[in-house]
Amino acid sequence: MDRVYIFLGLFATVLFLEATGGSYMISAVQSIERQFQIPSKLSGFLISASDISYVPTVIFISYLGSRGNRAKWIGAGTVLMAMAHIFTATPNFIFPAEQPKLNLTTIEETLLPAKLLSEADAKLEQFFEYQPIRDRIPSDLLSTDDTPFKVYEQSLYSLDEPLISQALHHMNLILSGDEDEKPLLEVLRKFVKNRHINTQEDFAIIRRAAIAPFTFCGKLVNDLRSVLTGSFVPFLDLKCHQKSSNVGPLLIIFTALLALGIGRTMPWSLGIPLIDDNVKKHSMPLYFACISFIRILGPITGFIIGSLANKLYFTTPTPQGLSPTDPTWIGAWWLGFLLIGIITILPSCILFFFPASSNSDKVMPTENETKPKKKNQLLLFDKHMDEKRSPEEQTLKGGAKAFLKSYKDVVGSKIYVGTVIGRILDVLAFKGYVVFLPKYLENHYGIPQYRVQLYMAAFGVFGFALGTITGGLITRKFKLNGRKVALFVLIVSTINTLMYLSKCFLGCHSIVNSVGLDGASTNFNYTRSCNMDCGCQGAQLFPVCDPSGNVYYSPCHAGCRHVSVLDLGSYNLEFSDCDCVPGKIVKKEFCHDNCSFMTVAFFVTVMIGAFIAGTGVVPGMLILLRSVPPATRSISLGLQGFLVSLLGTLPSPVIWGFIIDSACLVWEQTCSSRGACAIYDPIKLRLRMHLLYVAIRMISMFSDLYVLYHSKNLNILEDPDEDNEQDENEEVKRVEDIQLSTMH
């Protein structure tokens, strides 16, 4: 098989694995935090470690690698990446961490009934002070109102539900004057007796309720939830006041990710020029499109591996009763790093030991020699680079001069400078937008997180990948060259900017937005007299509605003391005994918004925009590659990576984070301080996100115009070397034919 195709397969594989590992890190961060109790500010710093090492090293490695056997350099880089992934997993074994011990003494003591409740002369008021009873009895029954008795089954929080139902029945009879207190006291005594016997079972029920994605009116459950999330004052030692930095594992992971950043400088900056040397220039768009398509599939694979790994516990055996839905669950984060690292070793080693066809790769032909490239020969050394360096270049001073001269030749190209500026601005706009897009979709259109990832993969990633293939085919089919290819890139940028501008008008009045707008009249304080004693201070946003369509921040804020699972298959929930609701019942099914059409319209623009943006990838990269002298292609890609990472990738999330936070209406409270934003002003959020993106892209279009102006003589599809080589081959063949005829 042609060595060019073998290299292409190996190169595409390592690019795919590199992208897979990059996205997997995002899915592993939370489990790393839990195992080693690393604060979020440090885990965020970890994610940036590979960029920190990439930025200062890429310009040097791309320069040095371009002057050697590029396959070996790429192989060395990917071996380093493989080792870095494996090394990242080692703290799990070097620093084994026990599961955090939760101080649940107070919760358990509250669950146990006081001794006086077992005495014969216990009063009714004393029973009502017992928290499991107080949580289950509606506040209006504890006062003077008459409430009809209802029985609900399959409750998530049902401490002797039949006895509680009997107690409610007797309370109604007492309030109506048809019965005295004795039957009620008998029922409550039996309930208290069962609490002594079934304390552990009761605690398991409360624990299940505490890890549910919703909160309801139950102080015991909400106190336990606060313990698990670290926001409950008596248990600050669990999370909020955790001062252990775990320097050892953090240092290992940080060092491994630094090595990962150095390793990933080599494949892209050296591999693309190597392929460019070994394929016909008119075929390069198609090759590049296929490689980019495979690379784009990497992040999807990384998230899938992360999902599977996080369903496994980080050690064995799994603690009894613990599940992946539990806030204290620690996924097997290390497993994915090992898997990706081990798989990467094989193609990395093959590349590192990739055989040169002959030593002639390094020998430059003399003026009287004609040395055509053999059919199966793979040019591992840059054919435009003279390996015979002058004695002056071999000194430190001479090498530094050659290094600076190479970069001077690169930045001297007006087309290159304009292209890089445009790329920096594109990444500055796109990176931050994509990071916060899931949050925007959840808050603005009410789309659950798990669906957001699915929709973005289906409409965004695959649309972009198909656009990349299409762009390569268009470039080759229509032979875009010179100003034609620059004009094509400008048209793509213009259409893409217009697609994002159209999203400014795709607003809707979602359920989450309704909660925010309803809270404006009370300064976003959702606590009222009817839910004062429910412990809703740390309640998660879980909008529910009554039959009339009125929206409540959470079942807890609706004063609901009971939840029933109506359908286990669909997890259809009904919250009842709601003190703040006239009909006493709330459900998500009662909530209706007008976002269906706008959601479809939004993702149509996402699909079209991603496809259009993808068509510009191949011609844009070819413009960059052809805008510099052939001998400086690797250097140009390295410098571009340096500038894009430094000025685009690193600052973009910070800028966008500031813009997103500026539209916040309601902040969650974590550890007595402001946490994440729960509800945004929908209009401000929509306009600020998309207008910022459009503004940056419009500035970027000026760089596209600049490139268009200077690209009259730009040649991306035709290579004079190929024509000369063909003429030389024909001349050699003609001479050989003459010699053979003379011999005969």
Side-chain angles (χ1 to χ4, degrees):
M1 184 184 292
D2 196 322
R3 288 179 180 176
V4 173
Y5 295 112
I6 296 176
F7 176 81
L8 280 172
L10 292 170
F11 181 64
T13 300
V14 297
L15 284 181
F16 169 79
L17 292 172
E18 176 200 350
T20 300
S23 62
Y24 177 78
M25 180 63 193
I26 298 173
S27 67
V29 166
Q30 191 170 16
S31 291
I32 293 175
E33 286 182 3
R34 289 175 181 170
Q35 178 171 348
F36 301 112
Q37 300 177 24
I38 296 173
S40 295
K41 58 185 178 182
L42 289 182
S43 63
F45 183 64
L46 284 179
I47 296 178
S48 302
S50 62
D51 281 323
I52 292 173
S53 59
Y54 178 88
V55 168
T57 58
V58 64
I59 56 176
F60 298 103
I61 290 179
S62 60
Y63 173 81
L64 297 173
S66 66
R67 281 160 165 70
N69 185 322
R70 291 171 290 183
K72 287 184 178 293
W73 275 86
I74 295 170
T78 49
V79 166
L80 184 59
M81 287 194 296
M83 294 296 103
H85 281 124
I86 295 174
F87 197 51
T88 303
T90 57
N92 179 71
F93 310 101
I94 300 175
F95 301 95
E98 297 182 0
Q99 183 185 3
K101 300 294 184 181
L102 301 180
N103 184 4
L104 304 176
T105 305
T106 302
I107 299 293
E108 293 173 341
E109 288 177 353
T110 305
L111 194 58
L112 282 171
K115 292 182 179 180
L116 60 87
L117 296 182
S118 301
E119 299 175 359
D121 59 347
K123 299 183 185 301
L124 193 60
E125 294 79 5
Q126 293 171 329
F127 281 101
F128 286 152
E129 291 301 319
Y130 178 39
Q131 197 63 52
I133 294 177
R134 189 174 187 85
D135 275 347
R136 191 58 188 86
I137 304 298
S139 59
D140 51 5
L141 275 184
L142 291 176
S143 57
T144 58
D145 294 335
D146 184 12
T147 301
F149 163 64
K150 294 182 179 180
V151 177
Y152 297 95
E153 297 180 353
Q154 295 182 329
S155 173
L156 290 180
Y157 178 38
S158 54
L159 303 175
D160 274 349
E161 185 66 28
L163 289 178
I164 290 293
S165 299
Q166 291 179 37
L168 289 168
H169 178 60
H170 288 301
M171 289 182 70
N172 280 310
L173 292 176
I174 292 172
L175 292 172
S176 63
D178 296 333
E179 192 176 79
D180 59 18
E181 297 181 358
K182 288 184 179 179
L184 176 59
L185 284 170
E186 288 299 320
V187 172
L188 296 180
R189 286 193 183 99
K190 188 174 182 180
F191 179 85
V192 168
K193 181 179 179 181
N194 288 346
R195 302 289 64 76
H196 284 290
I197 300 172
N198 302 316
T199 302
Q200 292 302 316
E201 182 181 349
D202 293 345
F203 187 76
I205 293 172
I206 294 177
R207 184 182 179 89
R208 286 197 298 271
I211 64 174
F214 52 83
T215 52
F216 52 94
C217 188
K219 195 171 185 305
L220 272 175
V221 174
N222 291 335
D223 282 353
L224 179 56
R225 181 187 298 274
S226 298
V227 173
L228 297 176
T229 58
S231 58
F232 188 61
V233 176
F235 308 99
L236 284 172
D237 61 305
L238 174 64
K239 178 181 176 182
C240 298
H241 282 196
Q242 177 59 49
K243 297 181 180 179
S244 175
S245 61
N246 282 302
V247 176
L250 177 61
L251 195 58
I252 290 177
I253 296 174
F254 183 75
T255 303
L257 293 178
L258 285 177
L260 180 67
I262 297 173
R264 71 184 182 90
T265 62
M266 304 176 200
W268 190 256
S269 61
L270 300 177
I272 296 300
L274 195 156
I275 294 172
D276 193 37
D277 279 345
N278 288 276
V279 301
K280 300 294 184 182
K281 293 299 171 284
H282 64 84
S283 299
M284 186 60 181
L286 184 59
Y287 283 104
F288 184 71
C290 293
I291 291 172
S292 298
F293 178 83
I294 295 172
R295 189 188 193 193
I296 291 169
L297 298 180
I300 300 175
T301 307
F303 285 122
I304 292 175
I305 294 175
S307 176
L308 296 175
N310 283 328
K311 289 182 179 179
L312 304 174
Y313 199 60
F314 81 106
T315 187
T316 55
T318 303
Q320 189 174 4
L322 204 62
S323 71
T325 60
D326 197 300
T328 61
W329 178 270
I330 302 174
W333 59 272
W334 51 270
L335 184 60
F337 286 116
L338 283 181
L339 180 64
I340 296 170
I342 292 173
I343 294 176
T344 306
I345 288 177
L346 180 59
S348 302
C349 289
I350 296 176
L351 279 171
F352 186 73
F353 295 105
F354 207 90
S357 49
S358 69
N359 290 335
S360 61
D361 281 347
K362 292 192 260 186
V363 180
M364 304 300 293
T366 64
E367 295 181 0
N368 298 324
E369 288 181 336
T370 300
K371 185 188 292 191
K373 175 189 167 186
K374 297 179 182 178
K375 181 179 179 181
N376 291 329
Q377 181 179 343
L378 178 66
L379 294 177
L380 301 179
F381 293 83
D382 195 329
K383 67 180 182 181
H384 302 283
M385 188 78 64
D386 188 355
E387 286 295 307
K388 296 179 180 179
R389 294 184 298 169
S390 63
E392 183 184 355
E393 286 186 50
Q394 297 180 12
T395 64
L396 181 61
K397 183 179 179 180
K401 285 184 178 180
F403 174 81
L404 294 175
K405 182 181 182 302
S406 297
Y407 280 100
K408 183 179 179 181
D409 293 340
V410 169
V411 298
S413 169
K414 295 180 180 179
I415 297 176
Y416 175 84
V417 172
T419 303
V420 171
I421 292 175
R423 177 62 178 163
I424 291 171
L425 292 171
D426 290 347
V427 172
L428 185 66
F430 183 74
K431 176 74 174 180
Y433 181 87
V434 169
V435 167
F436 293 102
L437 183 59
K439 175 176 288 197
Y440 171 76
L441 293 175
E442 182 180 31
N443 282 271
H444 199 74
Y445 295 102
I447 305 174
Q449 280 291 318
Y450 70 94
R451 288 185 182 176
V452 167
Q453 305 299 331
L454 179 63
Y455 291 165
M456 289 309 302
F459 296 100
V461 177
F462 282 108
F464 188 81
L466 292 175
T468 301
I469 291 287
T470 305
L473 293 173
I474 291 174
T475 304
R476 182 181 180 184
K477 176 69 175 177
F478 296 98
K479 298 180 179 179
L480 300 180
N481 227 346
R483 283 182 175 167
K484 289 182 180 180
V485 69
L487 179 62
F488 180 77
V489 172
L490 176 61
I491 293 173
V492 166
S493 296
T494 303
I495 297 175
N496 186 262
T497 303
L498 291 175
M499 293 302 298
Y500 276 87
L501 182 62
S502 68
K503 294 176 185 178
C504 292
F505 306 99
L506 301 180
C508 75
H509 194 64
S510 69
I511 298 302
V512 176
N513 293 342
S514 299
V515 175
L517 296 175
D518 291 345
S521 59
T522 60
N523 197 26
F524 308 106
N525 182 3
Y526 296 93
T527 300
R528 294 185 285 169
S529 58
C530 57
N531 59 33
M532 188 73 70
D533 298 326
C534 295
C536 304
Q537 289 78 7
Q540 293 176 303
L541 176 65
F542 191 89
V544 288
C545 303
D546 61 24
S548 300
N550 298 315
V551 187
Y552 299 86
Y553 189 94
S554 73
C556 185
H557 289 90
C560 302
R561 298 176 180 273
H562 195 185
V563 57
S564 302
V565 183
L566 302 181
D567 183 2
L568 290 173
S570 62
Y571 206 60
N572 185 11
L573 304 175
E574 179 179 277
F575 301 90
S576 56
D577 296 342
C578 304
D579 294 349
C580 303
V581 181
K584 294 294 182 181
I585 296 175
V586 295
K587 299 193 327 185
K588 271 192 172 292
E589 285 68 23
F590 292 150
C591 297
H592 301 285
D593 56 35
N594 60 351
C595 289
S596 298
F597 175 77
M598 286 300 181
T599 301
V600 173
F602 182 87
F603 280 103
V604 168
T605 62
V606 168
M607 182 171 60
I608 296 174
F611 179 82
I612 295 297
T615 60
V617 170
V618 173
M621 182 55 69
L622 289 177
I623 290 175
L624 182 77
L625 207 61
R626 301 284 188 266
S627 63
V628 296
T632 60
R633 291 168 305 174
S634 292
I635 295 172
S636 68
L637 291 177
L639 181 60
Q640 183 230 19
F642 166 78
L643 294 173
V644 168
S645 294
L646 180 64
L647 303 177
T649 304
L650 290 178
S652 182
V654 178
I655 296 173
W656 283 87
F658 176 79
I659 295 297
I660 298 295
D661 286 346
S662 69
C664 185
L665 293 177
V666 180
W667 293 93
E668 293 179 349
Q669 295 297 313
T670 302
C671 302
S672 301
S673 61
R674 192 173 76 176
C677 184
I679 301 177
Y680 295 88
D681 184 309
I683 298 176
K684 288 182 180 179
L685 181 64
R686 183 177 73 251
L687 292 179
R688 290 177 184 180
M689 276 195 68
H690 294 99
L691 289 179
L692 175 63
Y693 183 94
V694 169
I696 297 175
R697 288 303 302 267
M698 287 184 68
I699 298 173
S700 173
M701 288 169 60
F702 284 102
S703 67
D704 294 333
L705 287 170
Y706 180 82
V707 172
L708 177 64
Y709 178 78
H710 291 284
S711 60
K712 180 179 179 180
N713 298 318
L714 180 65
N715 181 14
I716 69 168
L717 295 177
E718 300 171 1
D719 188 355
D721 290 345
E722 290 180 357
D723 297 333
N724 295 337
E725 183 180 291
Q726 184 177 357
D727 294 340
E728 290 169 354
N729 288 341
E730 291 176 356
E731 178 66 21
V732 170
K733 187 175 184 305
R734 188 178 65 81
V735 172
E736 290 177 348
D737 289 341
I738 294 174
Q739 291 175 344
L740 286 173
S741 62
T742 304
M743 291 173 62
H744 289 291

Coordinates of all heavy atoms in Angstrom, one line a residue, residues 672-713:
S672 N -22.8 30.5 51.6 CA -23.1 31.9 52.1 C -22.5 33.0 51.2 O -22.3 34.1 51.6 CB -22.5 32.1 53.5 OG -23.1 31.2 54.4
S673 N -22.3 32.6 49.9 CA -21.8 33.6 48.9 C -22.5 33.3 47.6 O -23.2 32.3 47.4 CB -20.3 33.5 48.7 OG -20.0 32.2 48.3
R674 N -22.4 34.2 46.7 CA -23.1 34.1 45.4 C -22.5 33.0 44.6 O -21.3 32.9 44.4 CB -23.0 35.5 44.7 CG -23.9 35.6 43.5 CD -23.9 37.0 42.9 NE -22.7 37.2 42.1 CZ -22.4 38.3 41.4 NH1 -23.3 39.3 41.5 NH2 -21.3 38.5 40.8
G675 N -23.4 32.2 44.1 CA -22.9 31.0 43.3 C -23.2 31.3 41.8 O -23.0 32.4 41.3
A676 N -23.8 30.3 41.1 CA -24.1 30.4 39.7 C -25.5 31.1 39.6 O -26.3 31.2 40.5 CB -24.2 29.0 39.1
C677 N -25.7 31.6 38.3 CA -26.9 32.3 38.0 C -28.0 31.3 37.7 O -27.8 30.4 37.0 CB -26.7 33.3 36.9 SG -28.2 34.3 36.5
A678 N -29.2 31.5 38.3 CA -30.3 30.6 38.0 C -31.2 31.1 37.0 O -31.8 30.3 36.2 CB -31.1 30.4 39.4
I679 N -31.5 32.4 37.0 CA -32.5 33.0 36.0 C -31.9 34.3 35.4 O -31.3 35.1 36.1 CB -33.8 33.3 36.7 CG1 -34.4 32.1 37.3 CG2 -34.8 34.0 35.7 CD1 -35.7 32.3 38.1
Y680 N -32.0 34.4 34.1 CA -31.5 35.6 33.4 C -32.7 36.4 32.9 O -33.8 35.9 32.7 CB -30.6 35.1 32.2 CG -29.4 34.4 32.6 CD1 -29.3 33.0 32.8 CD2 -28.2 35.1 32.8 CE1 -28.2 32.4 33.2 CE2 -27.0 34.5 33.2 CZ -27.0 33.1 33.4 OH -25.9 32.5 33.8
D681 N -32.3 37.7 32.6 CA -33.3 38.5 31.9 C -33.2 38.0 30.4 O -32.2 38.1 29.7 CB -32.8 40.0 31.9 CG -33.8 40.9 31.2 OD1 -34.1 40.7 30.1 OD2 -34.1 41.9 31.8
P682 N -34.3 37.5 29.9 CA -34.3 36.8 28.6 C -33.9 37.7 27.4 O -33.2 37.3 26.5 CB -35.7 36.3 28.4 CG -36.5 37.1 29.4 CD -35.7 37.4 30.5
I683 N -34.4 39.0 27.5 CA -34.1 39.9 26.4 C -32.7 40.3 26.4 O -32.0 40.3 25.4 CB -35.1 41.1 26.4 CG1 -36.6 40.6 26.3 CG2 -34.8 42.1 25.3 CD1 -37.6 41.7 26.4
K684 N -32.2 40.7 27.6 CA -30.8 41.2 27.7 C -29.9 40.0 27.3 O -28.9 40.2 26.6 CB -30.5 41.6 29.1 CG -31.1 43.0 29.5 CD -30.7 43.4 30.9 CE -31.4 44.7 31.3 NZ -31.0 45.1 32.6
L685 N -30.1 38.8 27.8 CA -29.3 37.7 27.5 C -29.2 37.4 26.0 O -28.1 37.2 25.4 CB -29.8 36.4 28.2 CG -28.9 35.2 28.1 CD1 -27.5 35.4 28.6 CD2 -29.6 34.0 28.7
R686 N -30.4 37.3 25.4 CA -30.4 37.0 23.9 C -29.7 38.1 23.1 O -28.9 37.8 22.2 CB -31.9 36.9 23.5 CG -32.0 36.5 22.0 CD -33.5 36.3 21.6 NE -34.2 37.6 21.5 CZ -35.1 38.0 22.3 NH1 -35.5 37.3 23.4 NH2 -35.7 39.2 22.1
L687 N -30.0 39.3 23.4 CA -29.4 40.4 22.6 C -27.9 40.5 22.8 O -27.1 40.7 21.9 CB -30.1 41.7 22.9 CG -31.6 41.8 22.4 CD1 -32.2 43.2 22.8 CD2 -31.7 41.6 20.9
R688 N -27.5 40.5 24.1 CA -26.1 40.7 24.4 C -25.2 39.5 23.8 O -24.1 39.8 23.3 CB -25.9 40.8 25.9 CG -26.4 42.2 26.4 CD -26.3 42.3 27.9 NE -26.9 43.5 28.4 CZ -27.0 43.9 29.7 NH1 -26.4 43.1 30.6 NH2 -27.6 45.0 30.0
M689 N -25.7 38.3 23.9 CA -24.9 37.2 23.4 C -24.7 37.3 21.9 O -23.6 37.1 21.4 CB -25.6 35.9 23.8 CG -25.4 35.3 25.1 SD -25.9 33.6 25.3 CE -24.7 32.8 24.3
H690 N -25.8 37.5 21.2 CA -25.7 37.5 19.7 C -25.2 38.7 19.1 O -24.5 38.7 18.1 CB -27.1 37.1 19.2 CG -27.5 35.7 19.5 ND1 -28.4 35.4 20.6 CD2 -27.2 34.5 19.0 CE1 -28.6 34.2 20.7 NE2 -27.9 33.5 19.8
L691 N -25.5 39.9 19.7 CA -24.9 41.1 19.2 C -23.4 41.2 19.4 O -22.7 41.7 18.6 CB -25.6 42.3 19.8 CG -27.0 42.6 19.4 CD1 -27.6 43.8 20.1 CD2 -27.1 42.8 17.9
L692 N -22.9 40.6 20.5 CA -21.5 40.6 20.8 C -20.8 39.7 19.7 O -19.8 40.1 19.1 CB -21.2 40.0 22.2 CG -19.7 39.8 22.5 CD1 -18.9 41.1 22.4 CD2 -19.5 39.1 23.8
Y693 N -21.4 38.5 19.5 CA -20.9 37.6 18.4 C -20.8 38.3 17.1 O -19.8 38.3 16.4 CB -21.7 36.4 18.4 CG -21.2 35.3 17.4 CD1 -20.4 34.3 17.8 CD2 -21.5 35.4 16.0 CE1 -19.9 33.4 16.9 CE2 -21.0 34.5 15.1 CZ -20.2 33.5 15.6 OH -19.7 32.6 14.7
V694 N -22.0 39.0 16.7 CA -22.0 39.6 15.4 C -21.0 40.8 15.3 O -20.4 40.9 14.3 CB -23.5 40.1 15.2 CG1 -23.5 41.1 14.0 CG2 -24.4 39.0 15.0
A695 N -20.9 41.5 16.4 CA -19.9 42.6 16.4 C -18.5 42.2 16.1 O -17.8 42.7 15.3 CB -20.0 43.4 17.7
I696 N -18.1 41.1 16.8 CA -16.7 40.6 16.6 C -16.6 40.0 15.2 O -15.5 40.2 14.6 CB -16.4 39.5 17.7 CG1 -16.5 40.1 19.1 CG2 -15.1 38.8 17.4 CD1 -16.3 39.0 20.2
R697 N -17.6 39.3 14.7 CA -17.5 38.7 13.4 C -17.5 39.8 12.3 O -16.9 39.7 11.2 CB -18.6 37.8 13.1 CG -18.5 36.4 13.9 CD -17.2 35.7 13.5 NE -17.1 35.5 12.1 CZ -17.4 34.3 11.5 NH1 -18.0 33.4 12.2 NH2 -17.3 34.1 10.2
M698 N -18.2 40.9 12.5 CA -18.1 42.0 11.6 C -16.7 42.7 11.5 O -16.3 43.0 10.4 CB -19.2 43.1 11.9 CG -20.6 42.6 11.7 SD -21.8 43.9 12.0 CE -21.5 45.1 10.7
I699 N -16.1 42.8 12.6 CA -14.7 43.2 12.6 C -13.8 42.3 11.8 O -12.9 42.6 11.1 CB -14.2 43.4 14.0 CG1 -15.0 44.5 14.8 CG2 -12.7 43.8 14.0 CD1 -14.7 44.6 16.2
S700 N -14.1 41.0 12.1 CA -13.3 39.9 11.4 C -13.5 40.0 9.8 O -12.6 39.7 9.1 CB -13.8 38.5 11.8 OG -13.2 37.5 11.1
M701 N -14.7 40.4 9.4 CA -14.9 40.6 7.9 C -14.0 41.6 7.3 O -13.7 41.5 6.1 CB -16.4 40.9 7.7 CG -17.3 39.7 8.0 SD -19.1 40.1 8.0 CE -19.3 40.7 6.4
F702 N -13.6 42.6 8.0 CA -12.6 43.6 7.5 C -11.3 42.9 7.1 O -10.7 43.3 6.2 CB -12.4 44.7 8.5 CG -13.6 45.7 8.5 CD1 -14.5 45.7 9.5 CD2 -13.7 46.7 7.5 CE1 -15.5 46.6 9.6 CE2 -14.8 47.6 7.5 CZ -15.7 47.5 8.6
S703 N -10.9 41.9 8.0 CA -9.7 41.2 7.7 C -9.9 40.3 6.4 O -9.0 40.2 5.6 CB -9.3 40.3 8.8 OG -10.2 39.3 9.1
D704 N -11.1 39.8 6.2 CA -11.4 39.0 5.0 C -11.3 39.9 3.8 O -10.8 39.5 2.7 CB -12.8 38.4 5.1 CG -12.9 37.4 6.2 OD1 -11.9 36.8 6.5 OD2 -14.0 37.1 6.7
L705 N -11.8 41.2 3.9 CA -11.7 42.1 2.8 C -10.2 42.5 2.5 O -9.8 42.6 1.3 CB -12.5 43.4 3.1 CG -14.0 43.3 3.1 CD1 -14.6 44.6 3.7 CD2 -14.5 43.1 1.6
Y706 N -9.4 42.6 3.5 CA -8.0 42.9 3.4 C -7.3 41.7 2.6 O -6.5 42.0 1.7 CB -7.4 43.0 4.8 CG -5.9 43.3 4.8 CD1 -5.4 44.6 4.6 CD2 -5.0 42.3 5.0 CE1 -4.1 44.9 4.6 CE2 -3.6 42.6 5.0 CZ -3.2 43.8 4.8 OH -1.8 44.1 4.8
V707 N -7.7 40.5 3.0 CA -7.1 39.3 2.3 C -7.6 39.3 0.8 O -6.8 39.0 -0.1 CB -7.5 38.0 3.0 CG1 -7.1 36.8 2.2 CG2 -6.9 37.9 4.4
L708 N -8.8 39.6 0.6 CA -9.4 39.6 -0.8 C -8.6 40.6 -1.6 O -8.3 40.4 -2.8 CB -10.9 40.0 -0.7 CG -11.6 40.1 -2.1 CD1 -11.6 38.8 -2.8 CD2 -13.0 40.6 -1.9
Y709 N -8.3 41.8 -1.1 CA -7.6 42.8 -1.8 C -6.2 42.4 -2.2 O -5.7 42.7 -3.3 CB -7.5 44.1 -1.0 CG -6.8 45.2 -1.6 CD1 -7.4 46.0 -2.6 CD2 -5.5 45.5 -1.2 CE1 -6.7 47.1 -3.2 CE2 -4.8 46.6 -1.8 CZ -5.4 47.3 -2.8 OH -4.7 48.4 -3.4
H710 N -5.5 41.6 -1.4 CA -4.1 41.3 -1.6 C -4.0 39.9 -2.2 O -2.8 39.4 -2.4 CB -3.3 41.3 -0.3 CG -3.1 42.7 0.2 ND1 -2.2 43.6 -0.3 CD2 -3.7 43.4 1.2 CE1 -2.2 44.7 0.3 NE2 -3.2 44.6 1.3
S711 N -5.1 39.2 -2.6 CA -5.0 37.8 -3.0 C -5.0 37.6 -4.5 O -5.3 36.5 -4.9 CB -6.1 37.0 -2.3 OG -7.4 37.5 -2.7
K712 N -4.7 38.6 -5.3 CA -4.9 38.5 -6.7 C -4.0 37.4 -7.3 O -4.4 36.6 -8.1 CB -4.5 39.8 -7.4 CG -4.6 39.8 -8.9 CD -4.2 41.1 -9.5 CE -4.3 41.1 -11.0 NZ -3.9 42.4 -11.6
N713 N -2.8 37.3 -6.8 CA -1.8 36.3 -7.3 C -1.7 35.0 -6.4 O -0.7 34.3 -6.6 CB -0.5 36.9 -7.6 CG -0.5 38.0 -8.6 OD1 -1.2 37.9 -9.6 ND2 0.2 39.1 -8.3

